[in-house]
């Protein structure tokens, strides 16, 4: 089964609104990453948050991590049509090099 | 830097044929990963190389799949013989190392086995 499960599976919002996606996982992690995938393209690394960090910002992106709840959230503020894509969390399993990708959230930003 | 380069972008082949997918990682990256993406199973890690050495191939679905990394700038994933259920998008990714590094993904090879 997937280590990471994103919620919601799909999200549709208006341009300018904020988009929040959540990721839950099952086992201990070293860190967690978020990626974006545009249709028909490869994944693009957005941000990495370590297990001892609680919040991280990068431009319009804000990521939180709650290791006690085994969950993370990705907030995209002031969304744009160009943010339309699928977003994946990837959990770096403790004691390994492995990253396990979640099921993804399909975000659609309407102009 | 041109990023991670994969070829071909698209491959259509008949069942039973051999398929070879190619990847050129970013120069200086010593970790290379092959992933497979399908609607049903999402992104699956197939194999991981570190410094050209296969470290973990537990994700390779069966003996029909093999991967090599003869040098730091080239890797191949081979399927022989191919089957329709192998149809997927295959991604190669590289990173500067293991641990707290993001991966750089290639654009993928869309494989269709008919």
């Amino acid at each position: 089964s997937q280590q990471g499960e994103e919620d919601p599976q799909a999200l549709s919002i208006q341009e300018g609104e904020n988009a929040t996606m959540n990721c839950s996982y099952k086992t201990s992690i070293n860190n967690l990453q978020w990626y974006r995938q545009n249709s028909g393209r490869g994944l693009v690394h957005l941000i990495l948050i370590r297990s001892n960090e609680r919040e991280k910002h990068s431009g319009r992106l804000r990521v939180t991590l709650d290791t006690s709840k085994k969950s993370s959230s990705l907030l995209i503020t002031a969304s744009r049509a160009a943010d339309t894509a699928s977003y994946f969390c990837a959990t770096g399993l403790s004691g390994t090099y492995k990253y396990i990708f979640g099921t993804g959230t399909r975000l659609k930003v309407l102009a | 830097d041109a990023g991670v380069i994969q070829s071909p972008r698209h491959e259509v082949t008949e069942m039973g044929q051999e398929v070879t997918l190619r990847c050129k990682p970013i120069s200086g990256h010593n970790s290379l990963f092959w992933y497979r993406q399908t609607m049903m199973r999402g992104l699956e890690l197939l194999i991981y190389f570190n410094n050209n050495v296969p470290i973990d191939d537990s994700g390779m679905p069966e003996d029909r799949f093999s991967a090599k990394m003869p040098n730091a700038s080239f890797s191949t994933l081979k399927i022989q013989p191919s089957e329709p259920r192998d149809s997927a998008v295959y991604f190669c990714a590289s990173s500067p190392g293991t641990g707290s590094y993001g991966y750089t993904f290639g654009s993928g090879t869309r494989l269709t086995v008919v």
Side-chain angles (χ1 to χ4, degrees):
Chain A
S1 62
Q2 296 283 353
Q3 156 77 331
E5 299 282 343
E6 280 93 337
D7 169 58
Q9 288 187 336
L11 179 61
S12 186
I13 59 173
Q14 294 291 326
E15 203 166 32
E17 294 180 339
N18 296 342
T20 300
M21 289 157 270
N22 303 296
C23 170
S24 60
Y25 57 92
K26 298 173 184 174
T27 61
S28 295
I29 62 172
N30 292 322
N31 54 59
L32 185 146
Q33 304 185 46
W34 285 91
Y35 287 81
R36 183 187 74 231
Q37 184 179 34
N38 290 89
S39 179
R41 307 293 294 274
L43 285 81
V44 175
H45 179 254
L46 296 176
I47 196 166
L48 180 151
I49 186 165
R50 293 181 173 81
S51 59
N52 61 354
E53 297 175 313
R54 292 297 167 257
E55 187 170 314
K56 204 161 183 180
H57 297 255
S58 177
R60 294 183 296 112
L61 305 181
R62 173 177 169 254
V63 169
T64 63
L65 179 64
D66 187 335
T67 52
S68 66
K69 294 181 179 178
K70 292 186 169 57
S71 67
S72 174
S73 67
L74 170 68
L75 168 68
I76 304 174
T77 60
S79 63
R80 305 166 181 167
D83 295 327
T84 295
S86 291
Y87 291 82
F88 294 87
C89 68
T91 48
L93 305 185
S94 292
T96 80
Y97 60 86
K98 288 186 177 182
Y99 280 95
I100 306 297
F101 283 79
T103 51
T105 292
R106 293 188 309 278
L107 173 66
K108 188 169 186 177
V109 181
L110 304 170
Chain B
D1 196 327
V4 176
I5 300 172
Q6 290 187 247
S7 64
R9 286 297 309 275
H10 302 274
E11 177 82 32
V12 180
T13 191
E14 291 185 346
M15 183 174 62
Q17 296 297 308
E18 177 180 296
V19 176
T20 300
L21 312 180
R22 297 172 176 80
C23 174
K24 177 178 167 42
I26 289 176
S27 177
H29 283 192
N30 62 6
S31 294
L32 184 140
F33 307 84
W34 282 99
Y35 281 85
R36 177 171 69 176
Q37 186 177 35
T38 61
M39 289 294 292
M40 290 296 294
R41 301 175 68 88
L43 272 156
E44 302 173 278
L45 175 63
L46 300 179
I47 188 168
Y48 155 59
F49 290 87
N50 189 48
N51 292 323
N52 313 337
V53 176
I55 302 300
D56 185 347
D57 65 355
S58 60
M60 298 284 262
E62 44 196 280
D63 292 345
R64 297 183 298 106
F65 286 69
S66 62
K68 294 182 180 179
M69 192 165 186
N71 57 61
S73 59
F74 185 65
S75 176
T76 60
L77 177 68
K78 186 177 291 187
I79 308 172
Q80 165 65 19
S82 58
E83 297 182 3
R85 60 193 167 119
D86 302 330
S87 296
V89 182
Y90 291 81
F91 288 103
C92 174
S94 70
S95 76
T98 55
S100 299
Y101 297 101
Y103 293 178
T104 301
F105 278 79
S107 298
T109 294
R110 181 174 295 276
L111 173 65
T112 303
V113 183
V114 298

